[in-house]
Amino acid sequence: MSSQQERSDTLSTLLSGVGMNPVREDMPSRFNTFLASFRSRGHRRLHQVLPPLPLPPFQEEPSPKWGGEVRGLGEPKEFVVVILAHYRGWTMTVRGKERNLQLNAVLNDPQVLLKCLGYRHGDTSRRWYFVMDFDVDFKDADGLVKRLPRAKLPGTETVVLPTSEGILGLLRAASREGKSGFVHCGMHCMYAQTGTSSITLQENGTVRYTETPNGSPTNEAFIVGTDGVRLYGRDFLGSLSDGDPKRRGTTLTLMFDMCNATEFLAGVVGLPYQIGSPTTGGATSSFSAPRSANQLVVISASQRDQPAGEYRQCGALTFLLSTALTIVSEGKCRSAEGPDS
């Protein structure tokens, strides 16, 4: 991913409801969805560009699925992976000034996200993986309050932290059964000169993050693991067994609530269906990168050089999308129950 990568000026709206499942083998395998864009001073605004865009066909399902359902005893289960990093005490020097890198909004994201996903403590209909550097107490729809279980690699008792190696290992384990899945990622995504990154623990307990360019004039996008190591989009997607024949006909939904989000997979995967912003208009196609044999939905909070801000003390994308889908889902449930229920 270099500075020569063509910039995408697209915006979201592909997801217009939760009652649709885009798994069809005769469909193009990539759908790019960008939910929001930024205006001056970093304020988030939600754009609705649905009419009169030619949306691709969807296969209707009787009930919505984000992570999946059990289809029979002994059959593989679909998975949900939630990756969040607080970066407590992290700082970096930018143009001679100290910059606080803590992502405080992620502390509240699980509350709205898991409500949208219908998480219940003890749920075994899906495989749930929580990869975080902080603990979360969650009250589910049954009123039960418990601490979310931190993910562990199969066969071990080692808690997986959102380090570069930890994330890749967990994604490989989660996708190994070849079923559909949903991955949410709320971390730092940088767009900086190619090189390396590192962290140093300071005497006052803070963690200093440092980027060391390698002399190349090109830039690259990467997630910053909590070990300071750069995690690239090609490795992230590759660890999800995207080309595995077992995943044929499945859907993988990736939600990136982070800065520079669209650039993370730029040049890694082709996104032939994009919904254009008001400045470009209409749907566009892009085939500059390889395409997958399977269905992929990408939901991104920002474009290159854009921040992914906060809304109501949550990540803006996480709050707006989760809240909207929850409202739609609850409305459908009330409609199905009838006026006298």
Side-chain angles (χ1 to χ4, degrees):
M1 290 171 283
S2 68
S3 59
Q4 285 79 26
Q5 176 68 39
E6 181 179 355
R7 180 168 179 158
S8 171
D9 183 22
T10 54
L11 194 57
S12 80
T13 52
L14 193 56
L15 294 180
S16 57
V18 292
M20 296 180 177
N21 179 19
V23 181
R24 282 183 58 163
E25 293 193 12
D26 60 338
M27 291 174 58
S29 59
R30 292 288 185 245
F31 291 88
N32 194 18
T33 30
F34 303 105
L35 184 68
S37 73
F38 274 88
R39 289 296 181 258
S40 61
R41 300 180 183 176
H43 290 295
R44 179 65 61 94
R45 295 184 181 181
L46 191 63
H47 293 266
Q48 296 179 345
V49 203
L50 279 174
L53 298 180
L55 296 180
F58 282 81
Q59 177 178 333
E60 294 282 355
E61 290 288 340
S63 59
K65 298 192 293 295
W66 274 60
E69 301 171 351
V70 179
R71 292 178 174 80
L73 292 176
E75 291 188 14
K77 301 174 184 178
E78 297 175 357
F79 63 91
V80 177
V81 179
V82 178
I83 307 170
L84 299 170
H86 181 210
Y87 302 97
R88 181 178 179 181
W90 279 46
T91 64
M92 72 178 297
T93 302
V94 180
R95 301 184 188 92
K97 296 182 179 181
E98 287 296 300
R99 175 188 171 192
N100 185 352
L101 292 183
Q102 279 191 183
L103 295 179
N104 295 323
V106 302
L107 300 176
N108 302 312
D109 284 349
Q111 306 301 326
V112 293
L113 180 64
L114 295 185
K115 180 182 178 181
C116 175
L117 295 175
Y119 175 80
R120 282 177 166 81
H121 296 294
D123 177 20
T124 58
S125 65
R126 308 170 186 174
R127 291 177 291 124
W128 296 87
Y129 302 92
F130 299 104
V131 182
M132 304 177 293
D133 61 353
F134 57 94
D135 289 319
V136 176
D137 293 324
F138 178 74
K139 181 178 180 179
D140 65 16
D142 298 323
L144 182 60
V145 179
K146 292 182 65 176
R147 182 154 293 180
L148 297 178
R150 304 273 284 277
K152 298 178 181 178
L153 288 176
T156 74
E157 291 300 316
T158 303
V159 172
V160 179
L161 294 174
T163 63
S164 178
E165 182 179 354
I167 293 170
L168 294 179
L170 192 281
L171 293 179
R172 284 191 291 267
S175 62
R176 189 165 291 145
E177 293 186 7
K179 302 303 293 183
S180 295
F182 171 76
V183 181
H184 173 89
C185 188
M187 299 184 68
H188 274 304
C189 180
M190 306 294 193
Y191 183 66
Q193 285 185 280
T194 57
T196 60
S197 300
S198 61
I199 55 174
T200 306
L201 181 63
Q202 305 297 295
E203 292 184 359
N204 62 0
T206 62
V207 178
R208 180 174 295 279
Y209 169 74
T210 304
E211 294 176 348
T212 306
N214 62 6
S216 171
T218 60
N219 287 1
E220 59 187 6
F222 54 89
I223 287 175
V224 181
T226 55
D227 53 355
V229 177
R230 299 185 177 191
L231 171 56
Y232 299 102
R234 58 181 177 271
D235 299 319
F236 189 99
L237 189 61
S239 65
L240 285 164
S241 307
D242 188 59
D244 194 318
K246 291 186 298 182
R247 291 206 62 244
R248 184 73 60 179
T250 62
T251 295
L252 181 62
T253 303
L254 306 180
M255 181 171 171
F256 295 120
D257 194 352
M258 58 191 192
C259 305
N260 304 296
T262 63
E263 196 68 16
F264 184 61
L265 293 182
V268 178
V269 59
L271 300 168
Y273 281 87
Q274 301 179 12
I275 305 303
S277 72
T279 58
T280 59
T284 62
S285 296
S286 173
F287 303 94
S288 60
R291 295 174 62 188
S292 166
N294 304 294
Q295 174 70 36
L296 178 67
V297 177
V298 180
I299 311 168
S300 303
S302 61
Q303 301 176 47
R304 183 197 301 177
D305 295 326
Q306 286 185 331
E310 300 179 8
Y311 185 74
R312 296 192 179 181
Q313 298 183 320
C314 296
L317 170 64
T318 301
F319 182 89
L320 293 171
L321 182 58
S322 297
T323 301
L325 294 182
T326 299
I327 291 172
V328 171
S329 180
E330 291 176 347
K332 288 187 175 183
C333 289
R334 287 193 295 270
S335 176
E337 291 171 355
D340 298 328
S341 59

